[in-house]
Amino acid sequence: MSTRSDQADPRKTAESLEYLHGFGNLHSSEAVPGALPAGNSTPHRPPLGLYTERFHGASMTEPRGNSRQAWMYRIRPSAQHGPFSRIDGGTFRGLADAQTEMNRSSWNPQPDPKPGTDFVSGLWTFGGHGDPAERTGMAVHVYAANASMKDTVFSNSDGEMLITPFEGALLVRTEFGLLHVKPGDVALIPRGVRFRVELLDAMARGYVAENFGRPLVLPELGPLGSTALADPKDFRAPVAAYEDVERPVQAIVKYCGELWSSTYDHSPLDVVAWHGNHVPYVYDLHSFMTVGTLSHGHADPSVYTVLTSPTDTPGVANFDFCSVVGRWEVAMDSFRPPYYHRNIGSEFVGIVKTPPFGPTMFGEPGAGMLHNMLAPHGLWPEGDVATTNAAALEPEWIDIGLAIFYDSRLPLKLTRQALESPQRQHDFDKHWQGFERRFPRSPLQEDINAR
């Protein structure tokens, strides 16, 4: 289908979308019958006068299971553009000025953006680690926008982007087709894929994670078997939809931590047909099959992993994307909330939806909380008292709203704007003060203390 954002109603378009299903599948789609070549990906004369373009999202000689690639059949090659020039990234930062922060950190939601702020100009960077040029590490951002991107497309050569709205639905137009992304969903935009974000509501806010490492995959299930956590069939990929627009379109690219810009004389979202597996997805986080404790004890939070970016060390992730939704608590004679812990990895928490009873210790939508490597954390004193003094441990449905976690193997360094932000809570440590001593002192120790 041919689409033009200035002629179609974005909301009607979003609500009428059809999808291909299955994470990691080799999909194929054509917007015009006969546009996709049969039997040969590089025919002498591609159908309908289109141009053939190969898109590699992974090294060509990686094992077949790690391959990320796509064949595109487009109105013009994406090579038809002028030189790129560096532009000011605003509050969307690389990590050049990022600093290590050992302390537990927390931020209130960012203020409303200035009028005319779109998705790209509304990105605000907390921090991250690693080096996108070395294809390792990750970064954490939020966005706040009150305007759709117009005659502009964006792509990220540094890594994949996970977009998780908590306010306002989005219509995301990509080279592969269209995605409807609403609060409670997460969209995965692969490395290098061009896209444009159009708002379906007056305001749009959400969280964004960049994965500089190996492409995200579904975690292995091991003893859980073949059905648990995120089901591959629940991931939706777009069907082909192209723009046939011949007017100047700005292309902004994040490249090695900086933003670059060039101008096309046509829309680069002009792919009429494609096949491959380097494609965008949208996933409803409420589809996640929660796995937990059915007898006693407390399962590790790794059971909330939706997607993971593996490393060469088995079981150690460059970056895990985790989601916590409502669930039953049935553990017997056990401390049911997360126990106090110090993890070798680092954890950033974001809130998509608060529970019915209001904000929890994690804050409200738009807040951010960081526990870097080995930072002790867990319940605050009042939560500990309420839990340990519970009269009976009956089966209980816990509606905690919806929270997301970015877990990473290395400490997240914070940008200067995050360190100096007015939204940062500089007294965050106060929440873990005031725990009562419950262990009795011995008479001998009481006598020593009295002297």
Side-chain angles (χ1 to χ4, degrees):
M1 70 189 230
S2 176
T3 64
R4 289 186 59 152
S5 62
D6 55 355
Q7 294 181 351
D9 181 338
R11 183 171 294 279
K12 290 182 179 180
T13 298
E15 293 174 350
S16 64
L17 292 178
E18 297 180 354
Y19 294 98
L20 307 169
H21 293 266
F23 187 88
N25 289 1
L26 287 168
H27 295 292
S28 63
S29 184
E30 57 184 9
V32 177
L36 196 64
N40 183 359
S41 295
T42 56
H44 181 204
R45 295 185 178 87
L48 309 182
L50 299 171
Y51 290 88
T52 302
E53 184 169 299
R54 187 76 183 274
F55 190 170
H56 281 288
S59 297
M60 300 177 190
T61 54
E62 286 199 58
R64 186 183 293 267
N66 296 341
S67 175
R68 293 291 187 277
Q69 54 79 33
W71 290 93
M72 297 175 164
Y73 304 92
R74 55 196 318 151
I75 297 174
R76 289 182 178 83
S78 62
Q80 185 175 316
H81 64 77
F84 279 82
S85 302
R86 288 182 177 87
I87 61 174
D88 182 8
T91 55
F92 186 35
R93 304 286 179 83
L95 303 179
D97 73 338
Q99 301 178 31
T100 301
E101 176 56 73
M102 177 180 173
N103 288 307
R104 298 169 294 204
S105 301
S106 183
W107 294 263
N108 296 319
Q110 294 298 310
D112 289 344
K114 296 178 181 179
T117 300
D118 64 18
F119 174 80
V120 176
S121 60
L123 285 162
W124 195 94
T125 305
F126 283 102
H129 64 76
D131 184 349
E134 299 290 338
R135 297 182 190 169
T136 180
M138 53 91 67
V140 177
H141 320 269
V142 288
Y143 69 87
N146 50 30
S148 296
M149 296 170 63
K150 184 173 178 59
D151 291 332
T152 304
V153 296
F154 178 72
S155 66
N156 192 332
S157 296
D158 288 349
E160 297 171 296
M161 298 184 77
L162 283 175
I163 303 172
T164 310
F166 61 81
E167 178 184 351
L170 309 174
L171 177 64
V172 182
R173 299 181 185 266
T174 79
E175 292 180 271
F176 293 87
L178 283 61
L179 299 175
H180 181 200
V181 190
K182 62 186 185 303
D185 292 341
V186 60
L188 169 60
I189 309 297
R191 184 192 301 265
V193 171
R194 292 189 172 96
F195 66 96
R196 183 172 67 247
V197 175
E198 298 178 13
L199 274 56
L200 302 182
D201 298 289
M203 180 67 71
R205 298 176 185 271
Y207 299 92
V208 175
E210 282 185 276
N211 171 37
F212 306 146
R214 287 171 55 183
L216 290 159
V217 296
L218 295 171
E220 299 294 341
L221 296 180
L224 292 177
S226 60
T227 305
L229 310 184
D231 194 322
K233 69 176 176 56
D234 292 327
F235 287 82
R236 292 163 283 153
V239 299
Y242 66 95
E243 287 188 336
D244 188 3
V245 171
E246 298 195 9
R247 60 173 181 260
V249 175
Q250 181 188 26
I252 300 174
V253 178
K254 183 171 184 283
Y255 193 90
C256 294
E258 299 179 298
L259 294 190
W260 297 68
S261 174
S262 183
T263 300
Y264 282 76
D265 62 2
H266 63 284
S267 172
L269 307 181
D270 64 349
V271 178
V272 182
W274 59 267
H275 69 87
N277 65 355
H278 189 66
V279 300
Y281 294 100
V282 62
Y283 173 75
D284 184 346
L285 294 169
H286 295 95
S287 301
F288 188 79
M289 181 191 294
T290 302
V291 176
T293 302
L294 296 179
S295 56
H296 64 273
H298 200 294
D300 285 335
S302 52
V303 297
Y304 299 119
T305 303
V306 180
L307 294 167
T308 183
S309 169
T311 66
D312 293 336
T313 304
V316 178
N318 174 69
F319 160 63
D320 283 336
F321 174 71
C322 306
S323 175
V324 181
V325 296
R327 64 192 185 277
W328 280 97
E329 293 282 11
V330 299
M332 300 178 293
D333 191 25
S334 300
F335 190 79
R336 289 178 174 178
Y339 39 75
Y340 298 102
H341 52 290
R342 293 177 290 168
N343 294 337
I344 189 65
S346 299
E347 169 190 273
F348 182 93
V349 181
I351 302 300
V352 176
K353 181 183 178 182
T354 54
F357 51 80
T360 65
M361 62 180 292
F362 297 118
E364 57 186 320
M369 185 164 62
L370 173 63
H371 300 134
N372 258 336
M373 177 183 66
L374 295 178
H377 57 288
L379 277 183
W380 296 345
E382 56 268 33
D384 183 281
V385 170
T387 298
T388 55
N389 291 342
L393 291 179
E394 301 292 339
E396 181 182 11
W397 173 256
I398 306 296
D399 184 353
I400 63 166
L402 176 59
I404 58 172
F405 295 73
Y406 303 145
D407 285 345
S408 188
R409 62 175 176 169
L410 297 178
L412 269 69
K413 297 181 178 181
L414 296 177
T415 60
R416 185 171 298 278
Q417 70 181 7
L419 288 166
E420 300 175 355
S421 170
Q423 278 66 50
R424 188 180 183 191
Q425 299 178 17
H426 292 281
D427 59 350
F428 191 47
D429 285 332
K430 72 178 184 181
H431 296 294
W432 285 278
Q433 308 307 313
F435 287 98
E436 295 183 359
R437 178 190 175 99
R438 297 194 290 241
F439 181 74
R441 288 188 176 91
S442 68
L444 177 60
Q445 186 63 48
E446 291 284 4
D447 181 61
I448 294 174
N449 290 343
R451 293 178 186 177

